[in-house]
């Protein structure tokens, strides 16, 4: 997997997840311009995990997906997080 080339948007998504201590909700990922299929690619590649949670808002139960980076995802971005900071 280390030899695979990753698209810039995949790397940007991983960087966002890396700096988000508790991961990001699907809505936050969308707000940053990362479509659901890209998140699915990251999860299928083992670079991120997605966890569904049920929450009650008013009298409705809603499902919220939280996406977190994995150790493999952190290896992909390596020292990129500190570049430019």
């Amino acid at each position: 997997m280390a030899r695979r080339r990753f698209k810039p948007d995949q790397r940007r998504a991983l960087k966002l997840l890396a700096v988000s201590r508790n991961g990001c909700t699907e809505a936050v990922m969308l707000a940053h311009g990362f479509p659901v299929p890209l998140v699915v690619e990251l999860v299928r590649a083992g670079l991120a995990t997605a966890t569904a949670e049920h929450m009650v808002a008013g009298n409705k139960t809603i499902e919220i997906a939280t996406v977190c980076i994995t150790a493999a995802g952190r290896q992909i971005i390596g020292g990129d997080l500190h570049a430019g900071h």
Side-chain angles (χ1 to χ4, degrees), residues 6-54:
F6 290 91
K7 299 174 191 168
D9 56 344
Q10 292 171 318
R11 292 176 91 62
R12 283 189 319 106
L14 289 172
K15 288 177 187 179
L16 174 63
L17 294 174
V19 298
S20 303
R21 177 176 285 191
N22 297 316
C24 293
T25 63
E26 182 180 349
V28 169
M29 297 297 287
L30 288 170
H32 281 271
F34 302 116
V36 172
L38 179 119
V39 175
V40 171
E41 285 176 20
L42 295 176
V43 171
R44 286 187 176 159
L47 305 175
T49 60
T51 307
E53 300 177 46
H54 292 91

